[in-house]
């Protein structure tokens, strides 16, 4: 059977890796084009320093880097190895960085990367150029190393050519040919090269090229400084030993180092962002062999040299003898950009990819194109992960510039950007500010984390003997004990939660039910007023999303989803006959969650309908009025308490908040934030997609079999579930023994002394007075087993607990 014709734009590290991966899977009709010569094409690959550090807070990016080291390590090239596993060493010169290295050591253990923490003397023994007095300690990863990117390109290209691919140099891509919403080829000066699939792997040129297809790629080409010292006696005297020095990172000063013979290469991120104007660059470098290498700016590098002399006295009387400002791509969130153009079938992108992750990204892209889904979860890199606001030029520039500044910064998991805040706010924002809300940010939305107005409540509960455990400095950042009071009060009285930022779609039309049945795992063919929790799977049975579907009319459904990637998935599966209309209604609506034992007492007097349990059961929806305000009420509760999600169109938002707030005074209502919300949902065993489970997990492993109806007609992923083996790992709730134990997520978990898995999310339970976490653990682990979780170098004992931890009878919800 003939395979599709594929054209890959870009013969750098990504394009060559992709051609190799695709031809290895049997696709041979592949053409790779580049504007430059082969194989030093003049893009970022040609000057990349080649550092490959595998450990990353992202499991996905770590997996990409691990595959890259494994693949490059096995490549052969006549000039020498494509990868040299000299190891990596990151040193700490401040207590904050030393703590952060403990955190990275935890990530390494969680993701299966070999590494260990070193004291200052061990660091100096491993890297003799160091001044040990400057160093507190270090983190060593022996499998990290140096990629010779050009050799890796050529070796993979030669392998692909041997299987039938062709690489064409000096081919400027002028445009993308298309017909009827499908790509048909690539326009060059020599004509159109026909293609069924086109992959844009053009590096920092990619955003400009994608614009021609109407696609916005949120990336900014940035100049980054790299210099070489003069000859160093310490390297020249023992060249063999010097060649084995690990790559070194001094992230406290935004610096990294690698050996070039008897010289030291120095990379620097401490200068101000230097975004590159691609229109100017294209014109100014049209005839240059290395357009990705801009002139070195000595003044910007001066601080880097001073700090390098401090850390590495062996630099002696040397000075920077050569350097350049190399161009790399930066994105708003630091992740790559992968996926297929929704409105131009067959046009794919694999952009903003550094050498570190190149082979891994290429493998995932090849699997995605050929098999329909990658074997690694890629939601963090998905082309359609960005909200509309994140595709504006100003947003892309400001946030990508901030990403450059923060490359080597210590970033707390709850640390959000400071620029471009306040862009998306619910109608309740002014009220929340009046109550002293501290805001987190997500999807551009301002989300209250806690309310300073509840400080008095926290003190009151403290006086009554409710425990408020102290936190260490790290976990105490972007957190307040007020959140404990808010969670406790929700369980005891009633609280109002702003649920507006949760994305929701309206799916309507004569084909709406059929579409939703095809896209989800549960049975949605129920009466009007039903609310159903369901999963959205890919063809492999992996969980793409989880959704809550309310049938408001026979042909109109409101679907609560997780974000823009769901809109993309739904859109791609819309029937071509126009029988279904899909609308994102999030911005035009608002939602307040009213939950707690007193919720019915608060809401019933405002509504003429009977809100009793008998008349308005759990997982039902009703369109009614509160006072004069038209609302849709859904009796669902992500916090595991009696109550409703109450929706209205945005123009009623202020009035709805004020109405509920006034009615709630008699019932001691409070406003509560995201931290309390998170701890309450963990108590109740409710998963958070993207954190607790992703497309790499099937429902049985995630404990979500109850949302799957294999008896219903075919749905996406059904065949894969029917053929699936029992899961090797299962998502479990664990409860910590010590009331002061705290974790934040991604920490390693040990079972009987051996690494068994990792934490996904966690929260302090105000109900039981201890922290609860989710963790992926071996299927052999059962309820009652003890495990240990390592947090910043300390291990805490926890016990695997039956779910839900709080109110297993679900009596609090159904009353």
């Amino acid at each position: 059977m003939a395979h599709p014709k594929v054209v890959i734009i870009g013969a750098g590290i990504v394009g060559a890796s992709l051609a190799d991966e695709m031809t290895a899977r049997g696709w041979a009709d592949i053409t790779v084009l580049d504007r430059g010569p082969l194989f030093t094409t003049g893009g970022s690959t040609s000057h990349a320093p080649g550092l490959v550090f595998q450990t990353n807070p992202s499991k996905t990016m770590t997996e990409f880097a691990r595959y890259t080291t494994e693949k490059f390590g096995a490549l052969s090239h006549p000039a020498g190895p494509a990868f040299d596993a000299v190891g990596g060493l990151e040193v700490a010169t401040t207590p904050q960085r030393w703590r952060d290295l403990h955190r990275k050591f935890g990530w390494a253990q969680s993701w299966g990367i070999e590494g260990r923490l070193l004291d200052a003397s061990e660091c100096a023994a491993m890297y003799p150029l160091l001044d040990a007095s400057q160093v507190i300690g270090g983190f060593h990863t022996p499998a990290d190393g140096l990629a010779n990117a050009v050799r890796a390109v050529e070796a993979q290209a030669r392998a692909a050519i041997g299987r039938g691919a062709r690489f064409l140099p000096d081919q400027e891509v002028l445009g993308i040919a298309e017909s009827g919403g499908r790509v048909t080829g690539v326009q060059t000066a020599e004509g159109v090269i026909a293609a069924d699939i086109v992959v844009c792997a053009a590096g920092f040129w990619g955003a400009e090229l994608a614009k021609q297809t109407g696609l916005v790629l949120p990336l900014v080409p940035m100049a980054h400084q790299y210099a070489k010292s003069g000859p160093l006696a310490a390297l020249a005297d023992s060249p063999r030993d010097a060649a084995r020095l690990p790559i070194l990172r001094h992230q406290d000063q935004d610096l990294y180092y690698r050996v070039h013979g008897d010289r030291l290469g120095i990379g620097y991120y401490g200068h101000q962002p230097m975004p590159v104007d691609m229109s100017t660059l294209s014109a100014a470098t049209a005839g240059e062999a290395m357009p990705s290498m801009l002139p070195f700016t000595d003044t910007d590098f001066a601080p880097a040299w001073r700090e390098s002399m401090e850390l590495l006295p062996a630099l002696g009387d040397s000075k920077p003898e050569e350097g350049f400002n190399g161009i790399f791509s930066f994105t708003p969130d630091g992740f790559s950009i992968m996926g297929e153009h929704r409105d131009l079938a067959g046009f794919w992108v694999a952009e903003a990819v550094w050498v570190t992750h190149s082979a891994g990204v290429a493998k995932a892209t090849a699997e995605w194109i050929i098999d329909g889904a990658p074997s690694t979860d890629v939601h963090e890199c998905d082309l359609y992960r960005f909200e509309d606001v994140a595709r504006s030029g100003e947003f892309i520039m400001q946030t990508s510039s901030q990403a450059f500044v923060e490359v080597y910064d210590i970033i707390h998991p709850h640390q959000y950007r400071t620029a471009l805040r306040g862009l998306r706010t619910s109608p309740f924002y002014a009220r929340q500010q009046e109550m002293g809300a501290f805001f987190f940010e997500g999807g551009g939305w301002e989300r209250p984390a806690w309310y300073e107005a509840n400080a008095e409540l926290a003190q009151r509960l403290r006086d009554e003997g409710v425990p408020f455990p102290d936190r260490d400095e790290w976990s105490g950042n972007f957190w307040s004990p007020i959140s404990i009071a808010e969670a406790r009060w929700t369980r005891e009285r009633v609280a109002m939660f702003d649920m507006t930022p949760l994305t929701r779609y309206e799916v309507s039309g004569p084909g709406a039910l059929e579409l939703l049945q095809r896209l989800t795992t549960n049975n949605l063919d129920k009466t009007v007023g039903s609310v159903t929790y369901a999963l959205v799977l890919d063809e492999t049975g992996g969980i793409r999303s989880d959704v809550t579907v309310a049938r408001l009319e026979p042909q109109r459904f409101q679907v609560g989803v997780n974000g823009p990637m769901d809109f993309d998935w739904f859109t791609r599966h819309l029937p071509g006959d126009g029988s279904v209309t899909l609308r994102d209604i999030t911005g035009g609506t608002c939602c307040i969650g009213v939950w707690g034992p007193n919720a019915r007492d608060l809401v019933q007097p405002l509504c003429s309908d009977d809100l009793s349990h008998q008349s308005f059961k759990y997982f039902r929806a009703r369109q009614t009025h509160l006072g004069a305000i038209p609302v849709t009420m859904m009796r669902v509760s992500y916090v595991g308490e009696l109550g409703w999600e109450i929706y209205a169109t945005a123009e009623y938002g202020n009035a709805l908040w004020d109405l509920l707030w006034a009615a709630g005074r008699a019932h001691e209502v409070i406003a509560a934030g995201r931290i309390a919300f998170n701890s309450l949902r963990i108590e109740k065993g409710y998963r958070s997609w993207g954190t607790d489970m992703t497309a790499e997990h099937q429902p049985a492993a995630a404990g979500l079999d109850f949302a799957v109806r294999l008896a219903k007609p075919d749905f996406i992923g059904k065949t894969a579930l029917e053929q699936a083996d029992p899961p090797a790992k299962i998502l479990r709730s664990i409860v910590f023994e010590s009331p002061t134990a705290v974790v934040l997520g991604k920490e390693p978990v040990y079972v009987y002394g051996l690494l068994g898995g990792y934490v996904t999310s966690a929260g302090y339970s105000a109900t039981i007075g201890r922290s609860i976490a989710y963790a992926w653990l071996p299927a052999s682990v059962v309820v009652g087993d003890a495990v240990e979780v390592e947090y910043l170098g300390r291990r805490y004992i926890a016990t695997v607990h039956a779910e839900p931890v709080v109110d297993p009878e679900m009596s609090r919800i159904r009353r």
Side-chain angles (χ1 to χ4, degrees):
M1 180 183 296
H3 292 122
K5 296 179 184 291
V6 179
V7 171
I8 299 171
I9 303 170
I13 195 69
V14 179
S17 296
L18 181 57
D20 185 32
E21 293 288 338
M22 297 186 83
T23 56
R25 287 164 172 77
W27 285 27
D29 196 348
I30 293 175
T31 301
V32 184
L33 309 177
D34 204 283
R35 71 197 299 272
L38 303 176
F39 287 96
T40 305
T41 63
S44 297
T45 301
S46 302
H47 65 71
L51 281 69
V52 179
F53 280 91
Q54 297 172 84
T55 307
N56 190 289
S58 164
K59 182 174 181 286
T60 295
M61 301 307 279
T62 299
E63 289 180 0
F64 285 166
R66 175 168 43 209
Y67 182 76
T68 300
T69 64
E70 293 169 352
K71 183 177 185 183
F72 287 6
L75 296 175
S76 61
H77 189 281
F83 182 76
D84 190 0
V86 296
L89 176 63
E90 183 178 340
V91 295
T93 60
T94 65
Q96 293 79 12
R97 183 67 62 178
W98 183 229
R99 178 188 61 202
D100 194 53
L101 292 189
H102 282 78
R103 191 166 61 121
K104 289 183 177 178
F105 176 55
W107 297 337
Q109 293 174 92
S110 292
W111 313 146
I113 302 298
E114 182 184 357
R116 66 189 182 102
L117 294 168
L118 310 178
D119 63 26
S121 62
E122 291 174 306
C123 291
M126 181 174 289
Y127 205 95
L129 278 62
L130 276 173
D131 177 0
S133 69
Q134 301 287 322
V135 175
I136 298 173
F139 174 48
H140 176 234
T141 43
D144 291 345
L146 294 168
N148 187 308
V150 176
R151 289 180 193 170
V153 166
E154 184 169 0
Q156 293 178 102
R158 296 296 181 199
I161 290 168
R163 303 186 195 103
R166 60 176 182 158
F167 279 65
L168 303 180
D170 306 312
Q171 298 287 319
E172 183 76 31
V173 173
L174 303 177
I176 307 299
E178 58 181 283
S179 178
R182 282 204 63 90
V183 70
T184 58
V186 172
Q187 176 73 52
T188 72
E190 299 175 9
V192 174
I193 299 175
D196 304 299
I197 293 172
V198 174
V199 184
C200 181
F204 59 81
W205 308 99
E208 292 296 308
L209 181 60
K211 280 182 183 178
Q212 299 182 34
T213 70
L215 187 64
V216 174
L217 296 186
L219 67 82
V220 176
M222 294 275 185
H224 158 59
Q225 289 198 301
Y226 192 79
K228 291 181 183 178
S229 71
L232 302 179
L235 298 179
D237 291 345
S238 53
R240 181 171 297 180
D241 292 341
R244 302 310 302 164
L245 286 179
I247 47 181
L248 176 68
R249 288 199 289 185
H250 178 25
Q251 298 204 55
D252 284 321
Q253 296 298 333
D254 300 302
L255 287 159
Y256 64 83
Y257 308 89
R258 59 154 295 181
V259 172
H260 294 277
D262 63 352
R263 300 166 186 259
L264 202 62
I266 306 172
Y268 185 47
Y269 287 106
H271 55 82
Q272 289 297 310
M274 301 178 186
V276 176
D277 185 336
M278 290 305 297
S279 60
T280 302
L281 182 73
S282 298
T285 63
E288 292 186 13
M290 292 293 285
S292 60
M293 296 176 67
L294 303 181
F296 190 63
T297 49
D298 299 87
T299 303
D300 292 311
F301 195 73
W305 186 255
R306 288 195 302 270
E307 295 298 337
S308 296
M309 294 280 286
E310 286 262 340
L311 184 70
L312 306 170
L315 288 172
D317 296 328
S318 181
K319 63 180 181 180
E321 290 199 348
E322 58 179 286
F324 62 92
N325 290 358
I327 304 176
F328 294 92
S329 297
F330 283 78
T331 59
D333 55 11
F335 291 107
S336 300
I337 303 175
M338 305 165 59
E340 184 184 17
H341 196 324
R342 184 166 63 223
D343 301 317
L344 182 59
F347 185 82
W348 290 75
V349 299
E351 291 290 355
V353 183
W354 292 8
V355 171
T356 302
H357 309 107
S358 55
V361 168
K363 174 177 178 284
T365 302
E367 292 171 335
W368 206 345
I369 294 172
I370 295 172
D371 303 327
S375 57
T376 299
D377 170 62
V378 296
H379 81 273
E380 292 169 315
C381 300
D382 194 288
L383 165 64
Y384 287 100
R385 69 187 183 270
F386 298 100
E387 300 280 353
D388 287 345
V389 65
R391 292 196 291 271
S392 68
E394 182 179 358
F395 188 98
I396 295 168
M397 178 59 72
Q398 286 206 31
T399 55
S400 297
S401 296
Q402 189 64 28
F404 179 92
V405 170
E406 294 177 346
V407 163
Y408 280 177
D409 284 1
I410 299 170
I411 305 297
H412 193 278
H414 292 148
Q415 180 177 333
Y416 301 95
R417 68 174 188 274
T418 55
L420 295 175
R421 292 294 297 267
L423 293 176
R424 303 181 80 184
T425 60
S426 77
F428 325 129
Y429 185 58
R431 299 291 186 266
Q432 293 162 351
Q433 288 179 306
E434 291 169 2
M435 290 188 285
F438 182 92
F439 292 96
F440 286 172
E441 181 273 331
W445 286 98
E446 297 298 325
R447 306 181 183 211
W450 70 83
Y451 293 87
E452 288 295 332
N454 293 326
E456 291 183 7
L457 173 63
Q459 186 58 53
R460 171 180 161 186
L461 293 178
R462 198 179 262 117
D463 293 342
E464 292 174 0
V466 174
F468 283 76
D470 292 333
R471 287 202 167 198
D472 65 277
E473 180 187 1
W474 179 251
S475 64
N477 282 324
F478 306 99
W479 179 87
S480 171
I482 292 172
S483 63
I484 296 176
E486 292 176 352
R488 179 86 174 211
W489 203 252
T490 304
R491 289 271 183 255
E492 294 182 348
R493 304 287 200 288
V494 64
M496 291 166 51
F497 293 80
D498 182 2
M499 306 301 291
T500 302
L502 299 186
T503 307
R504 48 199 167 272
Y505 304 151
E506 182 183 84
V507 182
S508 60
L513 176 61
E514 182 180 356
L515 172 69
L516 292 171
Q517 288 282 66
R518 169 73 176 152
L519 292 182
T520 68
T521 59
N522 215 330
N523 180 29
L524 306 180
D525 191 6
K526 301 176 181 177
T527 60
V528 171
S530 62
V531 180
T532 307
Y533 177 79
L535 306 175
V536 177
L537 308 181
D538 62 21
E539 294 289 356
T540 72
I543 304 171
R544 283 190 56 95
S545 188
D546 62 340
V547 298
T548 303
V549 184
R551 192 171 195 176
L552 301 181
E553 296 175 5
Q555 296 183 1
R556 182 168 71 91
F557 298 80
Q558 181 171 308
V559 185
V561 300
N562 285 290
M565 288 186 294
D566 292 315
F567 194 86
D568 175 53
W569 186 254
F570 279 46
T571 300
R572 290 178 189 275
H573 291 88
L574 288 174
D577 60 5
S579 62
V580 180
T581 299
L582 172 67
R583 291 196 307 131
D584 185 339
I585 61 172
T586 312
T589 55
C590 60
C591 179
I592 301 173
V594 180
W595 292 307
N598 295 344
R600 185 176 286 113
D601 295 336
L602 188 162
V603 179
Q604 180 63 85
L606 306 175
C607 185
S608 58
D609 289 355
D610 183 359
L611 303 184
S612 68
H613 179 66
Q614 292 72 27
S615 296
F616 196 162
K617 294 186 180 297
Y618 190 56
F619 266 94
R620 297 293 295 178
R622 180 176 298 180
Q623 297 178 82
T624 182
H625 289 78
L626 295 184
I629 302 171
V631 297
T632 298
M633 298 177 65
M634 295 187 195
R635 191 160 171 215
V636 294
S637 175
Y638 205 47
V639 303
E641 283 293 334
L642 169 67
W644 296 267
E645 290 180 356
I646 302 173
Y647 295 89
T649 51
E651 77 261 35
Y652 296 110
N654 269 334
L656 178 62
W657 181 278
D658 290 346
L659 178 70
L660 291 168
W661 189 257
R665 286 176 186 167
H667 306 285
E668 299 184 277
V669 72
I670 64 166
R674 296 295 299 179
I675 297 177
F677 179 86
N678 185 62
S679 69
L680 292 167
R681 66 98 182 167
I682 290 174
E683 289 181 352
K684 292 303 299 177
Y686 297 148
R687 282 84 168 117
S688 174
W689 184 86
T691 301
D692 299 318
M693 75 277 192
T694 66
E696 71 176 284
H697 306 114
Q698 291 191 342
L704 296 174
D705 266 352
F706 69 87
V708 178
R709 297 291 181 269
L710 288 175
K712 83 169 189 174
D714 192 36
F715 57 85
I716 295 174
K718 178 181 179 181
T719 300
L721 296 188
E722 291 173 330
Q723 299 172 352
D725 295 325
K729 290 199 171 184
I730 294 177
L731 188 66
R732 294 287 198 183
S733 280
I734 60 174
V735 176
F736 287 85
E737 185 177 278
S738 169
T740 60
V742 61
V743 296
L744 299 180
K746 303 183 180 180
E747 294 86 0
V749 183
Y750 292 85
V751 182
Y752 305 124
L754 300 176
L755 182 67
Y758 59 91
V759 170
T760 57
S761 56
Y764 177 79
S765 168
T767 307
I768 68 171
R770 285 174 289 161
S771 288
I772 304 172
Y774 288 125
W776 282 100
L777 297 173
S780 58
V781 173
V782 298
V783 171
D785 283 353
V787 299
E788 291 182 297
V789 181
E790 185 164 314
Y791 169 77
L792 300 182
R794 180 178 177 183
R795 291 196 182 182
Y796 292 98
I797 298 173
T799 302
V800 178
H801 202 287
E803 293 189 68
V805 175
V806 171
D807 187 29
E809 300 83 13
M810 306 294 282
S811 61
R812 302 180 71 90
I813 294 175
R814 297 183 172 95
R815 57 182 173 186

